C-alpha cells in the first residue's frame, strides 16, 4: 500500500478542496470542507479500496492523512 | 375480569423474530408480560436462550425457541413448518448500514435488502400460504422512519429497504384482509439498541443527534414494544395497512 495513492484516494472525497491542499501532513479536521458526510465517504473509500473497516473513532482520533494511512496499513 | 381487557394478549400465540436482541427482545418480554405464548426466533442461540429465560410465564403460557437465519430459505421453511397457527407475528430482524450514495453499489443494496426486505416478505408470504396465520391474526413489521418520514445523509441503502417494506405492508394488508388478517408496521426513530452503536458514527455524534430530538432522548425498546402489543391485541382489530411513527418528534 502506497502513501501517494492513499492521499489521492483521500483527496477524491472532497468536492471543493483542491487535491494540492491535501498532503501527508494535512490535519484533515481543519479543512473547511471537512464534515460528517466526508468522514463517511472516507470510511466507505477505505472499505472499498483496502477492505479495512474504520470506525468513526478512528477518524476522530487520527489527525493527519498520514496517521490514517498508518492506521489502515496496520490493519491490512 | 379476564377476557375483558382488549389490550391483553391472553390466549394468543405469537411469533417474534429478531428476539435475540434490542427491540425484538423487548417486544418478547412485553408480550409475555401481557400473557401471550411465544415462539422467539433469532440466529444467536445464546442470546435467544437468554431472552427465553427472561420471559415471564403466566399460567397456560408456553414459550419456545426457534433458531433460524431468515436469509436461508431452508431455515425459513423449517421455521414455518415448526409453528402452530399463529394469532400474531412481529418481524424484528434487521441490519443497518451507513454509506454515502456514491459508495452504495449494488452488492451493498443486495446484502441489506436480503435481510431487511426479502426475508421479511418471504416469511410472511410463507406463513400466509401455509395457513399458519389464523383468521384475525395480526402481523407487525419493524420498519423505520428512514426512507419515508426521514431522509438523512448516508442512509440510502437502509432507508430504501425500509421504504420498500412500508409499501409491502400495505399490499399484504389489502390482500390478507380476505382472512381478516391485519398487517401494520412501526416506524421508530433512533432507539437504544446495539444496531445504532455499530461505530461508523462516534458516540459524540450520536449524542449531538439525540439532542435534535424534540423529546430530548432516543427511544427505549419499551417505547416500541407498547405499540407492538397494541397492534397485536384485539384493541386494534380495525387497524390495518398503517405505518405508526414513534420517534420522539424528530420527523416533525
Ligand atoms: N434501533 C433503532 O434505532 C431502530 C430504528 C428504526 C428501526 N429499527 C428496526 O428495528 C428492528 C430491530 O432492530 P434492533 O435495533 O433491535 O437491532 P438489533 O439489536 O441489532 O437486533 C437485530 C435482530 O435481528 C436479527 N437478525 C439480523 N439478521 C438476521 C438474519 N439474517 N436472520 C435472522 N435474524 C436476523 C438479530 O439476530 P441475531 O442477533 O441472533 O443474529 C437480532 O435479533 C430492525 O428491523 C431495525 O431495522 C431499529
Amino acid at each position: 500500500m502506497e502513501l501517494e495513492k492513499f492521499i489521492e484516494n483521500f483527496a477524491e472525497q472532497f468536492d471543493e478542496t483542491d487535491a494540492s491542499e491535501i498532503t501527508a501532513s494535512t490535519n484533515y479536521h481543519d479543512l473547511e470542507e471537512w464534515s460528517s458526510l466526508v468522514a463517511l465517504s472516507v470510511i466507505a473509500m477505505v472499505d472499498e479500496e483496502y477492505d479495512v473497516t474504520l470506525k468513526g473513532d478512528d477518524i476522530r482520533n487520527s489527525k493527519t492523512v498520514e496517521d490514517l494511512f498508518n492506521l489502515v496499513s496496520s490493519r491490512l | 375480569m379476564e377476557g375483558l381487557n382488549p389490550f391483553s394478549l391472553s390466549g394468543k400465540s405469537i411469533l417474534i423474530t429478531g428476539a435475540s436482541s434490542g427491540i425484538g427482545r423487548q417486544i418478547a418480554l412485553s408480550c409475555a408480560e401481557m400473557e401471550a405464548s411465544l415462539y422467539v426466533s433469532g440466529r444467536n442461540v445464546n442470546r435467544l436462550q437468554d431472552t427465553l429465560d427472561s420471559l415471564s410465564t403466566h399460567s397456560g403460557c408456553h414459550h419456545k425457541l426457534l433458531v433460524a437465519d431468515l436469509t436461508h430459505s431452508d431455515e425459513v421453511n423449517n421455521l414455518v413448518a415448526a409453528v402452530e397457527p399463529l394469532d400474531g407475528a412481529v418481524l424484528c430482524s434487521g441490519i443497518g448500514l451507513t454509506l454515502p450514495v456514491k459508495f452504495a453499489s449494488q452488492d451493498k443494496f443486495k446484502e441489506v435488502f436480503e435481510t431487511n426486505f426479502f426475508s421479511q416478505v418471504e416469511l410472511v408470504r410463507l406463513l400466509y400460504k401455509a395457513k399458519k396465520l389464523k383468521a384475525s391474526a395480526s402481523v407487525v413489521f419493524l420498519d423505520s422512519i428512514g426512507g419515508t418520514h426521514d431522509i438523512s445523509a448516508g442512509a440510502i441503502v437502509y432507508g430504501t429497504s425500509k421504504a420498500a417494506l412500508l409499501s409491502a405492508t400495505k399490499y399484504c394488508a389489502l390482500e390478507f384482509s380476505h382472512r381478516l388478517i391485519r398487517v401494520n408496521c412501526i416506524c421508530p426513530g433512533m432507539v437504544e439498541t446495539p444496531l445504532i452503536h455499530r461505530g461508523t458514527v462516534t458516540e459524540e455524534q450520536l449524542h449531538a443527534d439525540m439532542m435534535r430530538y424534540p423529546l430530548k432522548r432516543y427511544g427505549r425498546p419499551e417505547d416500541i414494544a407498547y405499540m407492538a402489543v397494541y397492534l397485536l391485541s384485539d384493541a386494534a382489530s380495525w387497524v390495518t395497512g398503517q405505518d405508526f411513527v414513534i420517534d420522539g418528534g424528530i420527523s416533525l
Side-chain angles (χ1 to χ4, degrees), chain A residues 37 40 43-44 47, chain B residues 97-105 108 153-157 200:
Chain A
L37 187 59
L40 284 179
I43 293 175
D47 178 52
Chain B
L97 183 69
T98 310
L99 214 55
V101 174
K102 68 178 171 182
F103 289 99
S105 55
K108 303 286 184 192
I156 182 171
V157 179
T200 313

Side-chain angles (χ1 to χ4, degrees), chain B residues 18-24 42-44 47 68-71 92-95 115 142-144 158 162 188-191 193-196:
Chain B
S20 48
S21 180
I23 296 172
R43 287 178 304 190
N44 184 296
R47 278 190 276 113
D69 185 325
L70 298 176
T71 59
C92 306
S93 60
I95 53 172
T115 302
L142 250 296
D143 206 82
S144 169
Y158 180 79
K162 293 299 189 177
M190 295 282 271
V191 178
T193 74
L195 185 124
I196 66 166

Side-chain angles (χ1 to χ4, degrees), chain A residues 47-48, chain B residues 97 99 103-114 157:
Chain A
D47 178 52
E48 194 173 278
Chain B
L97 183 69
L99 214 55
F103 289 99
S105 55
Q106 232 185 80
D107 54 318
K108 303 286 184 192
F109 275 97
K110 278 184 182 153
E111 188 188 322
V112 172
F113 268 68
E114 201 59 58
V157 179

Side-chain angles (χ1 to χ4, degrees), chain B residues 29-180:
Chain B
L29 297 180
S30 299
C31 286
E33 199 60 46
M34 296 302 276
E35 304 186 20
S37 289
L38 305 180
Y39 294 99
V40 289
S41 186
R43 287 178 304 190
N44 184 296
V45 193
N46 294 337
R47 278 190 276 113
L48 202 52
Q49 184 66 46
D50 185 71
T51 299
L52 190 73
D53 294 341
S54 311
L55 298 176
S56 43
T57 307
H58 291 274
S59 70
C61 294
H62 308 280
H63 306 308
K64 284 196 186 128
L65 177 156
L66 295 169
V67 176
D69 185 325
L70 298 176
T71 59
H72 295 164
S73 63
D74 49 336
E75 297 186 32
V76 178
N77 286 325
N78 291 342
L79 178 68
V80 172
V83 299
E84 296 294 324
L86 301 162
D87 297 289
V90 191
L91 286 85
C92 306
S93 60
I95 53 172
L97 183 69
T98 310
L99 214 55
V101 174
K102 68 178 171 182
F103 289 99
S105 55
Q106 232 185 80
D107 54 318
K108 303 286 184 192
F109 275 97
K110 278 184 182 153
E111 188 188 322
V112 172
F113 268 68
E114 201 59 58
T115 302
N116 289 4
F117 180 69
F118 295 122
S119 77
Q120 307 298 296
V121 177
E122 182 66 357
L123 176 57
V124 167
R125 178 183 84 82
L126 291 172
L127 286 171
Y128 184 79
K129 193 156 175 264
K131 300 205 161 54
K132 292 292 176 90
L133 295 170
K134 291 187 200 165
S136 303
S138 170
V139 175
V140 180
F141 288 111
L142 250 296
D143 206 82
S144 169
I145 56 171
T148 46
H149 306 275
D150 175 83
I151 303 297
S152 301
I156 182 171
V157 179
Y158 180 79
T160 54
S161 75
K162 293 299 189 177
L165 189 60
L166 194 153
S167 177
T169 300
K170 294 177 189 281
Y171 288 99
C172 292
L174 184 66
E175 293 195 17
F176 295 2
S177 65
H178 295 293
R179 290 189 208 157
L180 302 182

